[in-house]
Amino acid sequence: MSAEYATFGLAPAMRAGGVLANGEYQVHRDFLDFIVNGRPLLFHLSDLDAVSPLASDVPPAIFTHHVRGLLLETEAPLRDDRHVIYGCPECEGLECGAVTAVIERAPDGSDTYVWRDFAWQTAERADLELNGYHGIGPFRFDGAEYRAALGQLLSRGEPAARRRVLLIGARVAVPAKLAAALRTIGIGAEIAADATGVPPDELRTYGAVVFGRGVPAATREGVRAAFDGAGIQVAYVDGLAPIIPLLVAQIEDALDASPPEQRRLTRLAAAHGTADVEITSTCRVQLIAYRLGRLSRTRTHQVFDGVLEPGEHHVTLDAKATKGDSFVVARTTDSVLAAPIVR
């Protein structure tokens, strides 16, 4: 392959959902990101909260239409041969803003696909001078590699099904609240005492199993044995505390199918009044501390909210946030990590 070509691929990614510090909900979205020269293209677009058109919850016919559009087998959905590369995670409306680009075959007659003139678009026409991403592209992709990556999606027939979460808890109240929160952000959830007698086909629909703190060891072992016996790999989450936003953050991390080397948020630890967080690209990072106060009421402290450069960062935790059993959640648009605060 000529050195002038950029490599093209696809990889699982997500827009992290969650229960935010202000009590609002953020919808969870699974999608396929475009990997250009070994790096998610989304990471080149500052700290954009967006998803590609190749989302898992898109109806199969529309998903296939998007793939064929990227292959130039159908007409471009926007004027001037422009295609949506990333759009709003909450809706498909162009008025919310979208990253668009011209996708075309190389004019020199070679077997090459070209992505050029990236822009932030909110109207019928893109204003390249005002809203163009002048430092991104153009990218030239080898035709065979490009078609192979996108063509495999057509052979599947439909996008991957959304995974559900199985909640195992000793008490009913917490799993019920957690299931409601998960369903609100778009993640299916079921509550059970154990996995006895559950058919393998149903077990395969779960992407994670969450154990409450009071679940006996025998029950945990029985659930694991049920999944192992059916030959199903699933992520297991040991709930840190009966704090709904914290548990949701743990589940989001467990459901993250993106390759570790392609994540923005790679490490979180907290001890001795300091939270250590490591990121791989410039982005907005939020740190939120949670603890259980009197009468088991959740106390929330906004620790940090700002843009950080790649690398390891040390953030001081307020003493009020670290009383008793306390925990910290780090969040970017596409990653969430949770950790206990070691005193």
Side-chain angles (χ1 to χ4, degrees):
M1 183 182 296
S2 171
E4 68 179 351
Y5 285 112
T7 61
F8 181 85
L10 300 166
M14 76 174 186
R15 189 272 189 130
V19 181
L20 306 183
N22 59 7
E24 295 181 355
Y25 292 88
Q26 183 166 286
V27 175
H28 173 101
R29 298 291 302 279
D30 294 306
F31 65 98
L32 291 173
D33 200 1
F34 307 109
I35 308 301
V36 178
N37 290 331
R39 184 175 173 81
L41 181 59
L42 189 58
F43 287 12
H44 294 277
L45 301 169
S46 300
D47 190 30
L48 187 65
D49 184 12
V51 300
S52 82
L54 306 179
S56 66
D57 54 352
V58 171
I62 297 177
F63 184 90
T64 298
H65 182 75
H66 285 317
V67 175
R68 295 197 181 281
L70 295 172
L71 288 167
L72 302 183
E73 295 177 2
T74 61
E75 292 187 4
L78 304 174
R79 297 181 61 170
D80 304 319
D81 296 323
R82 301 191 70 83
H83 296 252
V84 174
I85 307 300
Y86 296 106
C88 174
E90 303 287 347
C91 70
E92 295 186 6
L94 188 61
E95 61 274 9
C96 289
V99 176
T100 67
V102 174
I103 300 179
E104 63 183 6
R105 299 299 292 267
D108 60 10
S110 63
D111 186 15
T112 303
Y113 291 80
V114 180
W115 288 21
R116 64 174 175 83
D117 295 340
F118 288 81
W120 177 253
Q121 188 170 345
T122 57
E124 188 176 357
R125 282 188 178 277
D127 188 333
L128 293 179
E129 183 176 349
L130 182 64
N131 297 316
Y133 288 98
H134 302 293
I136 300 178
F139 299 113
R140 291 169 51 87
F141 302 117
D142 173 75
E145 179 184 64
Y146 186 84
R147 287 190 297 272
L150 291 168
Q152 65 179 341
L153 303 180
L154 297 177
S155 63
R156 295 178 189 172
E158 61 182 43
R162 183 184 299 280
R163 304 288 265 175
R164 297 188 299 160
V165 176
L166 180 62
L167 308 179
I168 308 292
R171 296 164 53 191
V172 176
V174 174
K177 291 179 181 178
L178 178 56
L182 290 171
R183 292 165 186 159
T184 299
I185 67 173
I187 297 175
E190 303 295 336
I191 303 171
D194 53 43
T196 303
V198 180
D201 286 346
E202 183 175 346
L203 293 179
R204 288 190 184 91
T205 67
Y206 295 109
V209 176
V210 183
F211 296 113
R213 290 200 299 187
V215 176
T219 301
R220 295 170 186 257
E221 292 172 1
V223 171
R224 290 176 181 268
F227 279 92
D228 291 343
I232 300 169
Q233 291 187 341
V234 67
Y236 294 100
V237 177
D238 292 316
L240 289 173
I243 299 173
I244 302 304
L246 176 67
L247 294 172
V248 171
Q250 287 189 266
I251 293 167
E252 284 287 327
D253 179 33
L255 293 177
D256 190 351
S258 62
E261 67 275 10
Q262 293 173 2
R263 299 179 188 179
R264 275 199 176 104
L265 185 59
T266 57
R267 192 177 76 86
L268 172 68
H272 311 299
T274 301
D276 299 328
V277 59
E278 187 172 356
I279 55 175
T280 60
S281 66
T282 301
C283 62
R284 178 189 177 191
V285 178
Q286 294 176 293
L287 290 177
I288 303 168
Y290 297 96
R291 66 179 179 87
L292 287 176
R294 297 174 105 184
L295 304 178
S296 297
R297 292 178 179 174
T298 300
R299 302 301 185 205
T300 304
H301 299 269
Q302 183 81 47
V303 176
F304 177 83
D305 187 350
V307 176
L308 295 177
E309 298 292 327
E312 186 172 328
H313 301 269
H314 310 285
V315 180
T316 301
L317 300 173
D318 189 290
K320 294 180 180 179
T322 59
K323 292 181 178 179
D325 288 339
S326 51
F327 311 87
V328 64
V329 170
R331 172 182 294 277
T332 65
T333 57
D334 59 357
S335 304
V336 178
L337 291 177
I341 300 175
V342 180
R343 300 180 66 188

